[in-house]
Amino acid sequence: MKPSPFEISCPGSLDAAHKALHENPRGTRIISGGQSLGPMLNLRLARPSRLVDVTGLSGLAEIRQTDSHVEIGAAVTHARIEDGEVPDPIPGMLRHVAAGIAYRAVRNRGTIGGSLCHADPAADWVTAMTALGATLLVRDGSGGAREIPMSGFMLGAYRTSMAEDEILTTVRVPRHSDRARWGYYKICRKVGEFADAIAGFVADPESRVCRVVFGSTGGAPLVSTELAQQIATTGAVPPLDTVKTVLRDSGLTLSDVKIHQLAIAHSRAVTEALSDA
Amino acid sequence: MTTGIGARIERKEDRRLLTGQAKFVGDIKLPRQWEAAFVRSPVAHGRIRAIRKPEGMADRVFTAADLSDIHPIRAESSLPTYNASDQYPLAKDKVRFVGECVALCIAPTRAEAEDLAEQVEIEIDPLPPVIDALKAREADAPLLHEEWGNNLFLTTFFDGDIETLRKTAPVVVEREYSTARQCMNPMEGKGTLAHWDEKAGQLVVYTSTQVPHLIRTGISECLGLDQGQVRVIAPDVGGGFGYKCVLQPEELSVSWVARKTGRPIRWTEDRREHLVAGANTRQHHYKLTAFADERGRLLGLDAEITVDVGAYSVWPFTACLEAAQAGGNLPGPYDFGTYRCHTFSVATNKPAFTPYRGVARPGVCFAMELTIDAIARAVGREPSEVRKENLVPAGKMPFTNVTKKFYDSGDYPESVAQVERHIGLAGFRARQQKARAEGRFLGIGFSTFTEQSAHGTKVFAAWGLPLVPGYEQAMVKITPSGSVEVRSGNHSFGQGLETTLAQVASEWLTVDTSRINVTMGDTGVTPYSTGAYASRGMVMAGGAVSKAAEVLAGRVKTHAAHLLQCTPDDIRLADGKAWFGNAHVGFEDIARAWYLRPDQLPDDVETAGLEVTEGYKPAIDTGVFTYATHGAIVEVDPDTGMVSIEDYYIFEDCGRRVNPMILEGQAFGGATQGIGTALFEEVLYDANGQPLTSTLADYVLPGPAELPHFRLGHAETLSPYTRHGIKGVGEGAAIAPGGAIVNAINDALTPFGIEINAIPATPEKVLGAILRAGTLREASG
């Protein structure tokens, strides 16, 4: 379990990082905390000839707050979020999600941007950020920037809509009102392991937002506007059978056990959100 | 404070182990040393057509063709119907499991060796793989070893008059059970570093093993060397569990290449290699029919046991130890008269089966304990009552059971009663009913077992093994400064033997264990020992150290008597000194007189000196039986299938406890592994025999958050047949958790009318069963 040979560069600026990426986009991988890419390198499942380490880029480690958004640099670690360094876009949710990722040793190095770009279907941020309606700020080699909404970011397992020459710089999370509610529940066989089922729920009566998201479905997070509307209308947790029907009709290949676990995770997340009023 | 037998003292080895000062194979660096990486078979079953080395790398890549003068690993057995296998350290002609070594590559670093290994081209014609042991028994199954004409390493049959019972028994319970294939996962994987020492004229092999003297024999025989030309040194070993008690193909190929190239060569197993090529244990299947009376009193048992042995027969324990133990130990601690058992040791395209902590008993205990609970449910009684009534009562000890096991001592039903009391069975049923009314599902489960420890020469001989463990020797001596040295050919790989052997020496010599140095694991400097397995270390090596220390204490008294002007009988040893009344001489004075100033001693001095090697054999050769009952209370979440362990109580009796703290640690560790077996660990294969669990993300081990706070109780029924009444205990706690936890799960699931009969009881399995059962059946009581 030793990686095949590669070079690693630690550029001092985003421009330099883009330059390194531009030289050989196919053979180059961006590395941040390395908590997923590291094992893949050691298993020789990933075989880049060059790694570009972005953890040292100052802009990527910054946390900012605007009137409408909390902006988290892509190289901010899960541990910094867990420890409350990021202002709350919605009370307590980011800290809760961050604290549930793997183990502290992993959280100390793993980053939010790395986790999103890796796009593991069972990872936390892809589901949580979809529920929060976050957008991702990416920059390309020519200095161009664009924003990708989370709903259009992940295309499938380990696949995103980012182009080869783009680098994720900032995660923009909309600030919710004080009346906002959230729930996040995951079913894990073992503390710290990837989840078997994840459900996220965010509702803000002021901005008239209500989102229901399922994670660990084998692909991109599944967003259900149908369930969200039902909850917004009734203010109640949908019956399990209704949730299961939505999951069955989603077009995803899910076993009965998986459907049940996702439905239960959903029910628990929504119950949690609605009960702490 | 005395540091003798029974003292709860900290472990001598922990300082170095906990501060990173220990020296494992991976820590050793010799001049000119290179690293090895293996090319392993990518297919489960196939015929090798060609292996092509990269251009110019003929002297860095080795295949079976290069190792043509090596003898394969072949474990013979004297049992009738046994089929032996030839396992070449680098596959020859055929590959028989994914991960089998095909070529060995060497380079200055492991990464470079792996780069080289990637460039080796192998061409294999795939053959249909044999993955399911039950299907492998069928007549039209593909064959692993064509010359046998079937896939059976061994079948055994123990006959009993089951047919009469079938006509007369009021209660008949039939079940099928299965246990998953597992990897043992010691923290330190396997590692071997070999080099040729020109001065000594020896191949020196540092290897992570439990059995250094056996490995010397194995390497000598396969490489055609005299045993004097091989020295095996087991340095610090980070866990063994049985994985490191057999001769491994890598030990042979690395040794061969080191000798051939004249260069120290090291191979360090990585976790992926372990999870693929080390997936070698625990996989059993049972078909049981139990016959009982209306009260649940067991009358007889009819069993068919299939062990999924994998591709080869390991040396020296063979492919058949597991099934032999399973068939012999299935009746366990129970007293009943009629038993019939077929066993099948089946070859499949998986790594070669190796005995793991508990050897077969985690499987048989699981099967037997679930059957006891199934009988109790069939007769409508509390399972723990039925269990107690079926156990061998204390009044019948010593007891010879239906398979002729000689249970030396103990009170088995009392161990159940103790767990009932401490885990609170009396109040549990009411609590369970109340919880059910709230939609929570609690269950309670018990599991009782006996553990044949330190089974002796005759037992192993009866299992037909090529190599039978004999009697244990140990050396104890006083150094010129009065401290003590103990040498044993046994080995410590986490069990604390370094401390407990010192405690045994301290018991006789009264010297504090801080002044007793214990050396183990090096065939160059220790007396011969068959090694550490089968819970034999404390009984056998402890017994040998005890005997040697006792003789040495006598010599110390003789010398002290000269110095104190009295007779040896007048001398009493205490606090590391020899006393005659209030006068005393220290060990340092006695040692100085003997080693440095013998002129102070009389002319007729005892010249045997202050160094004693003694051998030991217990009074009986059939093993001594530790026993325990485990009790678990679990809660099953019927919506997720998750099982949480609310309480776990262990009551065990291993005779005299040499160091109670070490014993508790053994119980915690063993029970943790048992919980892995019960709820988490499972090697999965696809239809082509490809392992699907080759990283620790896929092969799930229990972590701290998944473990209960274990509670422990002890009895000390001394064995009448061993020194100090000691019985072996190292394996015990790994045996029972499967039975206790799954009995508790099934108790919790009673309202659903379902049973889990396969481990691990994963959320997927439990939830799947609940979903299949459909809507919740009304609880009848």
Side-chain angles (χ1 to χ4, degrees), chain B residues 570-626:
Chain B
D570 297 327
I571 300 283
R572 179 175 61 87
L573 299 183
D575 301 328
K577 301 182 180 71
W579 298 78
F580 172 46
N582 289 327
H584 67 265
V585 286
F587 271 48
E588 62 277 18
D589 304 314
I590 297 164
R592 191 178 306 118
W594 166 252
Y595 288 109
L596 309 176
R597 295 300 305 275
D599 55 299
Q600 292 176 350
L601 298 171
D603 288 346
D604 62 345
V605 63
E606 161 69 80
T607 54
L610 295 175
E611 177 173 332
V612 175
T613 299
E614 274 289 331
Y616 173 66
K617 170 179 182 291
I620 54 170
D621 219 10
T622 49
V624 286
F625 284 80
T626 296

Side-chain angles (χ1 to χ4, degrees), chain A residues 1 44 47 189-191, chain B residues 114 118 270 680 701 706:
Chain A
M1 282 178 65
R44 300 196 175 204
R47 313 175 62 107
R189 233 183 122 183
K190 176 184 174 182
V191 170
Chain B
E114 289 188 19
E118 276 192 332
D270 67 33
F680 294 98
L701 292 164
E706 285 70 48

Side-chain angles (χ1 to χ4, degrees), chain B residues 216-239:
Chain B
R216 178 172 66 161
T217 299
I219 291 174
S220 302
E221 289 182 356
C222 290
L223 264 59
L225 294 169
D226 185 270
Q227 304 226 3
Q229 290 178 290
V230 180
R231 178 177 177 185
V232 171
I233 303 169
D236 277 320
V237 174

